[in-house]
Amino acid sequence: MFFKRKGLGVWAVIFVLAFLPCTKLHCEEAYEFVDKDIHEILYALSLYTGISISADDTVSGKADFRCTGENFSESFDAFLLQSRLYVERGENRWTVSRILIQRNNDLYSLDAFDVSPMQLFEKCAISTGLCVTYDSLPSVKVSLHTGFCSTEELLKRITGLCMGFSLEKEGEGAFHVARNSSSVNPGGNAGKVSLIEKDGIWYVDVQNSSMSLVAERLFAQAKKQFCYALTNESKIMRSSFKASSFDEALSLLCMQADAQFSVRDGLYFILPCRNKNQLSQLGKEWKGVKLKFLKNTACISLIAKRFPEIECILLDDGMGFIFLADEEKALEVMKFVSEIDVKEKMRFVQLKYIRTEDFMAHIPPFLEKASISDTGHGDSFFFSGSDSAYERLLEELPLIDKPVSRVRYDLLIMQYQTTSGREWTPKFKAGRAKMGDKTDGAVQLGSVLNLNLDVIGAFGLKFAGELQTAISESKAKVYADTTLNGVSGKAINFQNTNTYRYRDNNLNPETGEPIYSGITKEIISGLKLEVCGTVTGDGMITSRITASVSRQGTDLSTTTGNPPPTSEKVVTTEVRAKSGEPVVLSGLVQEEETENISRVPFFSRIPFVGNLFKASEKSVEKTELVIYLLPSAEIFGFEEKNAKVRNEAFKTRILKIAEKAGAKDE
C-alpha cells in the first residue's frame, strides 16, 4: 500500500496502518513516505511493526522512507544511513539519534552528524558517567567521528570543535569546559583581533570577534572618524588577509559582516548592506557628486535610464548624491553628469488656441513634465531644455495647438397628440402650380417657415406640408425650437422642466392626520436632453443623445402622505452622420386616460335608478415628443477648404458660360 500523497497527516497514516497485519521484521506489502517529518515516520512504523521506536532531542527535519516488501531491518538501516541517523536497538525499544556512542571496555567511540557541542557533552556525560560542566557554548552545528579512545581524549576532541574553549579537569571523574581568558577582550567579545599597518599595507587577522570591536580598533589605529549604524551585532568568525589600503581592508571586513560603508566629508559611515551580493561590490568605491544646476532627483532619474546597474544615494541638500562603481564606470558616470548638469535656457512659448492646462494634460512623450512651467496666464508656458528638444517642440506644437472644433445643433421638438376615437390623416397634394397658387402656398407654410430649423431643406416639402397641417389642426405643437452650440467632445444639455416642491410627511396612526417633518423635497418633471458630439477631420459627427421625458401625476400627499406619482421615459442612442444630415429621435410616448361624467341634478343620486340619469365618456390621450436635430460642424481648415472648392467650381462655371456666349477672356 502506498502513502505517497503530500499533506497526508500522521493520523491518516495511523488509521490505514491499523488495518494492516503486524510483523516485526518483514513487511508483505510495499509502502512509502515522501517528505514527511521524521517523528511522524517513526511513530507510524512503531504502530505497524509493534516495536517501540522513538527519537531523542537531536532528531529533527523531514525525510523519505520506502519499504518494498524486503527485510524491514535492512530497509530501516538504509533509511537511517540516508538521513544521517543512528539507532540503538533494545529488546522492546529502539532509540533513534544523530549521536552514537559505543563502548569497548574502558574505551569509547563517538559518531555524530549536525548536532550542537552542548548535545555532545550531554550525551558523553550520560554514556560515560562523568560529570561535565561548561560555559556558554557556541550554537553551531558540528559533526564528529572518532575511534575508540579514553573518556578524557573524547572530551578534548569535542572541545576542539569549540573555538576559544579548553578542557579543565577539576577532580576524579569531573571536567569543566571553560572559555579561554586570552580570548576575552575588555568589551566582553571573545576572539582575536590583529591589525598591523606597515608602509601603507594592512595586515588583518580576525578570529571570532564582533564587527563593532574590529571597526573601533581599525579606526583608532588609522586615526579616522566613523559612525557605526549597524542595528544587529555582526560576527567575523575568521578573516586573514593583506590589503593595499585602509579602504580596501574596511571593505573586505564589511563584506564579511554584511555591511557597507560610505565617506562624506572625511567621516566614514558603516551601514547595513543594501546589496546582499557582496561579491559584486569588490573593486567598487563610493563616489560623491556635487551638482551645480540640476536637482539630484532629476539627475538620478537620468542616470537610472543610462546606467541601470549603478546604485545611487541622495544627499539631503538636494544638489548632491553618491554612487557605487569601479574606476572605469565612475569615469563614464562623471562624464555623463557633466553633460547634463548645465544651465538650461528658459524659453517662452505662446499658445494660440488651447490653454496651458490642456497642453500639460497631453504632454508629448518626448518632453519631460519637469521642463514645462506654467506662466500663470493660462495661454503660455516656459520651456527649459536642450536646443534640439526646443526645436522639436516647435515642430510638433502646430499639431497640438489647434482650435477646437465647434458643433451646432438646430433643435426642434414637436409634441403630437392623438385621442382614441378620433382619426387624423393629414393629406397633402402636389401638382402643377397655377396662377394664384403662390399666395396660397405661402399661407399654408407660414408657421413652418418661421421655425428656426430649416424644415423644408432638411426633411423636404412633403414633410413640411404635413407638419403645417398638424399644427393648424392643433394636433401638434412646437415644444421647443432653438439652437444649441458646443465644443467637440463636450456635452450640451437642454431641459424644459417644472419643479414641484412638497413637504415630507407621515400619517399619524392614531388620528390619520399628516405629520410634517419640515423637510422639503423636489420632483422635477418635463424634458431633459443631453447631446455630446465629436467631430472628426472628415466632417463626420458622432452624437451620443440621451432624452428623457417625465410627467407628474395628481398630488396625493395631503390625503395619503405619499409624494405625487411620476412616470418617465428615456431614450438613448448614438448616431454618426455627416454635417447637415438630420437626426430624428422618437419613442417618448406618454398616455393619459380621462373620464368625463355628465349627470342630472338630484335624480342621478338616487340609488340604482340614478344610473339612468347620468352618462360617462372615457378617452385615452396619447402624447408623443419627437426630437429633430440638425447637426453641423465648424472645423478649422475644413470650412476654408470647402469654400475654396466652391469658389473654383463657381469660377469654372462662369468661364464656360462666357465661352458659350462668345465673350472675351476679360
Side-chain angles (χ1 to χ4, degrees):
M1 178 173 292
F2 281 86
F3 301 101
K4 195 171 183 179
R5 185 173 179 177
K6 291 186 178 181
L8 184 62
V10 64
W11 293 110
V13 176
I14 295 171
F15 176 79
V16 176
L17 293 178
F19 294 92
L20 296 177
C22 294
T23 180
K24 291 188 177 182
L25 297 176
H26 189 273
C27 52
E28 297 179 356
E29 299 184 38
Y31 51 90
E32 184 176 4
F33 298 93
V34 178
D35 195 23
K36 287 297 179 182
D37 189 90
I38 296 177
H39 289 272
E40 294 182 4
I41 297 175
L42 297 178
Y43 186 53
L45 294 177
S46 175
L47 294 178
Y48 175 71
T49 59
I51 301 174
S52 178
I53 305 176
S54 60
D56 62 8
D57 59 338
T58 63
V59 178
S60 62
K62 296 184 178 182
D64 302 334
F65 177 68
R66 182 171 183 268
C67 182
T68 59
E70 302 296 334
N71 186 279
F72 176 78
S73 296
E74 294 180 359
S75 300
F76 191 66
D77 290 339
F79 160 69
L80 296 177
L81 181 61
Q82 176 189 0
S83 304
R84 293 187 173 185
L85 298 172
Y86 304 98
V87 62
E88 183 180 350
R89 291 181 173 90
E91 294 183 1
N92 297 318
R93 181 181 179 85
W94 292 1
T95 303
V96 178
S97 176
R98 292 193 182 275
I99 301 175
L100 176 63
I101 299 178
Q102 296 177 320
R103 180 177 180 179
N104 184 7
N105 297 325
D106 294 333
L107 302 179
Y108 292 86
S109 68
L110 184 145
D111 295 280
F113 278 109
D114 297 334
V115 294
S116 65
M118 183 179 64
Q119 292 174 327
L120 286 176
F121 282 119
E122 288 180 352
K123 296 294 183 182
C124 286
I126 295 174
S127 300
T128 61
L130 298 176
C131 177
V132 181
T133 59
Y134 42 81
D135 293 340
S136 179
L137 298 174
S139 57
V140 294
K141 298 293 186 179
V142 296
S143 298
L144 181 62
H145 303 277
T146 68
F148 286 96
C149 58
S150 64
T151 54
E152 184 175 355
E153 181 66 23
L154 183 63
L155 294 177
K156 285 183 179 180
R157 294 185 181 182
I158 300 175
T159 306
L161 299 176
C162 304
M163 188 175 299
F165 288 83
S166 60
L167 182 66
E168 299 176 356
K169 188 172 183 180
E170 296 186 342
E172 188 66 25
F175 295 89
H176 178 72
V177 182
R179 188 188 301 270
N180 296 332
S181 59
S182 60
S183 63
V184 180
N185 57 56
N189 294 317
K192 172 185 176 182
V193 179
S194 175
L195 304 170
I196 301 174
E197 189 269 335
K198 185 177 181 180
D199 298 332
I201 305 299
W202 285 84
Y203 299 90
V204 179
D205 189 4
V206 178
Q207 178 177 335
N208 192 26
S209 183
S210 63
M211 179 60 188
S212 60
L213 176 63
V214 176
E216 183 177 353
R217 294 188 179 181
L218 179 66
F219 281 94
Q221 186 167 346
K223 297 181 180 180
K224 296 180 181 293
Q225 296 179 343
F226 75 101
C227 179
Y228 191 83
L230 295 181
T231 56
N232 297 326
E233 185 62 67
S234 300
K235 282 266 189 178
I236 299 179
M237 298 305 298
R238 192 72 179 95
S239 182
S240 179
F241 58 86
K242 179 177 70 173
S244 60
S245 65
F246 172 81
D247 288 353
E248 183 181 354
L250 180 59
S251 177
L252 293 174
L253 291 172
C254 288
M255 181 176 58
Q256 289 186 326
D258 198 17
Q260 63 183 5
F261 77 93
S262 64
V263 186
R264 183 178 178 186
D265 298 333
L267 179 63
Y268 284 78
F269 293 88
I270 300 179
L271 309 169
C273 182
R274 298 175 61 184
N275 183 8
K276 296 303 180 182
N277 187 8
Q278 290 279 355
L279 295 178
S280 64
Q281 297 185 2
L282 290 177
K284 297 182 180 179
E285 295 182 0
W286 287 95
K287 304 290 184 179
V289 178
K290 191 69 174 180
L291 301 173
K292 296 180 180 180
F293 307 102
L294 195 63
K295 293 290 185 181
N296 55 6
T297 54
C299 184
I300 287 183
S301 177
L302 298 175
I303 290 177
K305 295 179 181 179
R306 178 72 177 273
F307 306 99
E309 72 280 4
I310 296 297
E311 180 182 359
C312 301
I313 299 178
L314 294 173
L315 299 182
D316 297 336
D317 56 4
M319 298 298 294
F321 66 95
I322 58 177
F323 67 94
L324 181 65
D326 54 24
E327 289 295 331
E328 183 179 357
K329 186 63 69 173
L331 292 176
E332 296 181 12
V333 174
M334 298 297 289
K335 182 180 178 182
F336 177 73
V337 172
S338 63
E339 294 175 354
I340 61 176
D341 186 26
V342 295
K343 187 176 182 179
E344 297 179 341
K345 298 179 181 179
M346 191 68 68
R347 299 175 175 88
F348 179 80
V349 179
Q350 180 70 47
L351 299 174
K352 294 182 180 180
Y353 304 104
I354 63 176
R355 297 182 59 82
T356 307
E357 58 184 12
D358 298 328
F359 180 82
M360 295 288 289
H362 305 86
I363 293 180
F366 64 88
L367 288 181
E368 294 286 344
K369 194 172 184 180
S371 63
I372 306 297
S373 301
D374 193 357
T375 60
H377 298 289
D379 58 352
S380 57
F381 61 88
F382 292 109
F383 172 74
S384 58
S386 61
D387 295 337
S388 59
Y390 179 68
E391 293 176 359
R392 186 174 180 184
L393 173 62
L394 295 182
E395 294 177 0
E396 302 291 341
L397 190 60
L399 302 177
I400 305 173
D401 187 18
K402 297 171 59 177
V404 181
S405 302
R406 295 189 295 270
V407 187
R408 185 186 70 221
Y409 289 94
D410 293 328
L411 173 65
L412 174 64
I413 304 177
M414 298 298 301
Q415 179 177 333
Y416 295 95
Q417 295 179 347
T418 57
T419 306
S420 59
R422 297 180 183 179
E423 183 179 1
W424 171 64
T425 54
K427 297 180 180 180
F428 180 81
K429 296 181 179 180
R432 183 181 296 275
K434 299 180 180 179
M435 188 66 65
D437 287 349
K438 184 181 297 185
T439 305
D440 295 339
V443 173
Q444 293 177 3
L445 299 179
S447 300
V448 176
L449 295 176
N450 292 330
L451 295 175
N452 180 67
L453 178 64
D454 184 9
V455 178
I456 299 177
F459 300 99
L461 189 59
K462 180 179 179 181
F463 175 82
E466 294 178 351
L467 182 62
Q468 177 63 43
T469 303
I471 294 174
S472 61
E473 293 182 1
S474 300
K475 294 184 178 180
K477 66 177 182 178
V478 179
Y479 192 85
D481 180 27
T482 184
T483 300
L484 306 177
N485 293 283
V487 179
S488 175
K490 302 293 184 180
I492 308 173
N493 293 285
F494 172 82
Q495 68 180 43
N496 186 0
T497 58
N498 297 320
T499 303
Y500 173 82
R501 295 181 176 86
Y502 65 95
R503 288 196 300 171
D504 191 17
N505 57 59
N506 295 314
L507 291 180
N508 191 330
E510 297 180 357
T511 62
E513 296 180 356
I515 302 175
Y516 296 100
S517 63
I519 301 175
T520 302
K521 294 186 177 182
E522 293 182 348
I523 295 179
I524 300 176
S525 59
L527 175 69
K528 292 183 180 180
L529 178 67
E530 180 179 300
V531 185
C532 182
T534 303
V535 184
T536 56
D538 56 357
M540 298 294 290
I541 304 175
T542 302
S543 302
R544 294 186 297 274
I545 307 170
T546 301
S548 64
V549 58
S550 58
R551 173 177 292 184
Q552 175 190 328
T554 306
D555 185 8
L556 303 176
S557 60
T558 58
T559 57
T560 64
N562 296 322
T566 57
S567 60
E568 184 179 21
K569 296 292 180 66
V570 180
V571 176
T572 302
T573 186
E574 182 172 346
V575 294
R576 179 176 171 84
K578 296 181 180 179
S579 178
E581 185 176 348
V583 177
V584 181
L585 191 65
S586 60
L588 300 173
V589 181
Q590 295 279 358
E591 291 186 358
E592 184 176 2
E593 184 177 345
T594 59
E595 182 178 2
N596 297 323
I597 300 176
S598 59
R599 59 180 78 228
V600 178
F602 181 73
F603 294 102
S604 61
R605 299 182 180 276
I606 301 175
F608 302 106
V609 182
N611 293 328
L612 301 175
F613 297 93
K614 61 182 178 181
S616 62
E617 180 183 0
K618 294 183 179 181
S619 62
V620 178
E621 186 180 75
K622 181 179 180 181
T623 304
E624 180 180 9
L625 290 181
V626 181
I627 301 173
Y628 302 95
L629 284 173
L630 186 62
S632 57
E634 299 178 7
I635 309 175
F636 179 76
F638 188 75
E639 296 294 335
E640 289 81 355
K641 181 179 179 181
N642 290 343
K644 291 181 181 179
V645 172
R646 289 193 297 268
N647 292 337
E648 293 294 334
F650 179 75
K651 182 178 179 181
T652 303
R653 185 178 179 186
I654 294 298
L655 291 176
K656 288 183 179 180
I657 295 175
E659 289 177 358
K660 289 182 180 180
K664 295 182 180 180
D665 294 341
E666 293 81 2

